[in-house]
Amino acid sequence: MNATGAAVAELSGLRVVVGGRAIVDGVSLRLTAGRVTALVGASGSGKTTTGLALLGEYPAGAEVTGTVRAPEGLVGYVPQHPAAVLNPVRRCGALLFDIARAHVRELPRGERARAAAERVAAALEAAQLPEGPELLRRFPHQLSGGQQQRLVLAQALLLGARVVIADEPTTGQDALTKRRVVGELAAVARRGIAVLLLSHDADVVNALADEVVELRAGRVVASGPAARTPAARHEPPPRRPPAARPLLRVTALTARHGRHIVLRDAELTLADGEFLAVLGRSGSGKTTLARCLAGLHRHHSGEVLLDGTALPRSLRDRSRSQLAAVQYVFQDASAAFDEHRPVAGQVARTAVRLRGLRPAAALEEARAALARTGLSEEVAGRRPGKLSGGELQRAALARALLARPRVLVCDEITSGLDAGTRAAVLGLLTAPPGERDVPAVVFVTHDLAAAAHADRAIVLDGGRIVERGAARDVLTVPRHPFTAELVKSPDGAARSARNPDRPG
């Protein structure tokens, strides 16, 4: 194990130019054993490109200058969208055991299986995946985004990484899991591993980082020791009450992944003009509930009714007007775009297909919608691979809004955004009813500050709704013990993880 303080990876004068544009411009970075360096900055500032340089990976056609020194084969990468690096047709345990067996080949044949199983179990525990054997039998699509992220972290730990690059590791995580992930990354650093944290989450950076480096337009604009400041409180802005007319109703909804029940007897109503936050830990059933509303998960009983009419369980059976009425914005926006076509054209296609607009008129509307989310015409004219994760998330929101939905279902859409863009997107969604682009919003989130903008909130635990009420009350005076744990700040656990001998 490296002694704390020894440099294990360095970038010096790194410059990455794509299509004549410098997306990383002269970045120097030193990663130290046992310490956490946070790389922060707005979406598109070059954070992910800088992190991937340590793996020797660059965008297609990139011109690269500068030097990169990293331990070959021992840099682990936990991406913002972990599904992209998980094989969809292999069970979760298959790759973990492949990695573990490679580390126990020197043992006698009779001991290898037991030793590999012990390594896998330890990695799962270290990555905060206590589900163990049951999770290993699932396929990646049967895991929540947070579980997928922790599975990739387990892979990196199994590989014996000396550097771990965590790209938005708390994106899509509930507060409880966020505290565990922050604690685990702190524990990883204590083992002498250098951690590079790419994050928009100010609370997590504040709680975890030793050093903070800020990028803007590919350049380092500030660097220095992390400041320790109290976490921001979640103060909801005043909002006009929504209309009382029922719009959406869910009755006795029970959903399954194979034989595994992930949602039990869910009941909820959504009024016209209402903003509903859906909270809960990773794997609690939030995304499954959201997908049932949009016709993306048909293995369920119970009903989803729009204006009193039951919606078909599968979107394939829904009419064009029903498809337009309930729109879904995915957490992993990159998977929702065709990589070969410009983003603006793909956004415009929604208005052509669901509203019957002519292509020219649809493209004009698409550009206006993209501009409202903060994407310029030049950026929107690029292919998806040329946009950051946060930029693609905003494009996905614009595309959904172009359908002119009656209900917009959002799955962690603010998690990959910098603070300024996040505020702008929330402004679009939380404007008073009658002044925003969509009448009603179902907002699946782990972002408690964003949830504070909602009218009402429901909390799921173990597939059941355990609390519901006004968002302000749920976040500030929770009645259920699980909710009380959920709304805590990550700072206390992070302090305990970084200083295990001191009380948190």
Side-chain angles (χ1 to χ4, degrees):
M1 182 170 67
N2 290 304
T4 300
V8 291
E10 289 183 277
L11 303 176
S12 180
L14 179 68
R15 194 166 193 266
V16 181
V17 178
V18 178
R21 184 174 67 94
I23 55 177
V24 172
D25 195 359
V27 170
S28 295
L29 198 62
R30 187 174 185 268
L31 302 184
T32 306
R35 291 176 65 83
V36 179
T37 301
L39 198 56
V40 303
S43 296
S45 61
K47 301 188 302 297
T48 296
T49 302
T50 300
L52 288 174
L54 292 167
L55 291 151
E57 296 184 7
Y58 302 95
E63 300 174 14
V64 182
T65 55
T67 59
V68 178
R69 184 180 69 82
E72 186 176 352
L74 293 175
V75 179
Y77 179 64
V78 183
Q80 181 176 351
H81 301 297
V85 297
L86 294 171
N87 189 329
V89 299
R90 296 192 76 194
R91 296 184 189 274
C92 297
L95 180 57
L96 292 179
F97 276 99
D98 283 350
I99 296 170
R101 280 191 289 265
H103 286 269
V104 297
R105 287 174 181 165
E106 73 285 355
L107 295 177
R109 184 181 296 274
E111 298 179 20
R112 292 176 192 170
R114 178 185 54 78
E118 289 176 353
R119 281 178 172 265
V120 169
L124 290 173
E125 182 179 359
Q128 307 293 333
L129 281 168
E131 298 90 341
E134 192 276 328
L135 180 141
L136 294 177
R137 290 191 293 269
R138 297 192 211 170
F139 291 96
H141 73 273
Q142 295 175 319
L143 274 59
S144 70
Q147 289 171 320
Q148 291 175 348
Q149 216 159 27
R150 282 171 276 148
L151 180 65
V152 176
L153 176 59
Q155 292 177 7
L157 295 175
L158 267 176
L159 284 165
R162 292 174 58 197
V163 178
V164 169
I165 303 166
D167 193 348
E168 298 286 356
T170 55
T171 292
Q173 304 280 27
D174 60 272
L176 292 173
T177 305
K178 182 183 291 190
R179 291 200 297 272
R180 289 198 297 268
V181 170
V182 166
E184 174 52 34
L185 288 175
V188 166
R190 287 205 311 273
R191 296 179 189 130
I193 297 172
V195 177
L196 178 62
L197 172 69
L198 316 181
S199 183
H200 288 120
D201 192 325
D203 285 347
V204 169
V205 170
N206 177 52
L208 184 59
D210 298 296
E211 186 88 4
V212 178
V213 177
E214 182 181 357
L215 291 183
R216 188 178 304 154
R219 295 187 176 186
V220 175
V221 295
S223 63
R228 303 292 180 204
T229 57
R233 293 182 59 83
H234 312 299
E235 296 294 341
R239 285 176 45 76
R240 189 174 76 186
R245 179 171 66 87
L247 175 61
L248 191 76
R249 183 181 298 274
V250 174
T251 63
L253 188 65
T254 295
R256 296 172 173 80
H257 282 301
R259 298 179 182 177
H260 182 61
I261 297 177
V262 293
L263 192 66
R264 296 175 183 269
D265 298 318
E267 303 262 351
L268 66 87
T269 60
L270 184 70
D272 201 3
E274 188 171 23
F275 191 102
L276 174 71
V278 182
L279 307 173
R281 72 170 85 227
S282 297
S284 64
K286 302 185 307 300
T287 293
T288 300
L289 171 61
R291 291 173 67 86
C292 288
L293 301 183
L296 295 168
H297 185 90
R298 60 187 178 87
H299 301 293
H300 68 79
S301 57
E303 288 188 316
V304 178
L305 301 100
L306 183 69
D307 284 330
T309 300
L311 292 172
R313 294 178 186 176
S314 173
L315 60 80
R316 294 178 180 178
D317 299 323
R318 295 186 181 184
S319 67
R320 186 165 71 171
S321 63
Q322 289 173 331
L323 290 172
V326 183
Q327 284 285 297
Y328 191 97
V329 186
F330 292 87
Q331 178 180 349
D332 183 0
S334 61
F337 283 90
D338 179 347
E339 63 182 86
H340 301 296
R341 297 168 53 211
V343 166
Q346 296 188 60
V347 172
R349 179 63 183 161
T350 295
V352 174
R353 186 170 61 89
L354 296 181
R355 290 173 44 213
L357 261 63
R358 294 182 179 277
L363 186 58
E364 184 177 346
E365 276 198 25
R367 288 169 175 160
L370 288 160
R372 288 197 299 276
T373 67
L375 294 181
S376 68
E377 185 173 336
E378 188 273 328
V379 171
R382 301 175 191 165
R383 294 181 180 180
K386 303 296 184 182
L387 276 65
S388 70
E391 288 169 334
L392 280 177
Q393 234 168 7
R394 284 179 273 163
L397 173 60
R399 179 169 60 183
L401 292 176
L402 223 62
R404 295 189 180 171
R406 303 189 62 203
V407 178
L408 183 66
V409 183
C410 300
D411 190 356
E412 290 290 352
I413 69 166
T414 60
S415 57
L417 304 179
D418 60 88
T421 306
R422 174 180 164 280
V425 167
L426 283 172
L428 289 175
L429 298 177
T430 60
E435 297 180 19
R436 63 176 184 241
D437 290 332
V438 60
V441 178
V442 177
F443 193 74
V444 175
T445 188
H446 295 307
D447 184 343
L448 300 181
H453 291 263
D455 301 301
R456 285 192 304 125
I458 63 171
V459 179
L460 283 88
D461 184 33
R464 295 185 183 275
I465 297 175
V466 298
E467 185 160 355
R468 65 179 81 222
R472 181 190 296 268
D473 295 339
V474 170
L475 292 171
T476 59
V477 285
R479 300 186 303 275
H480 194 279
F482 171 75
T483 310
E485 282 297 309
L486 189 70
V487 300
K488 285 182 181 178
S489 160
D491 284 32
R495 286 194 298 271
S496 296
R498 295 190 63 77
N499 302 284
D501 297 326
R502 293 171 51 191

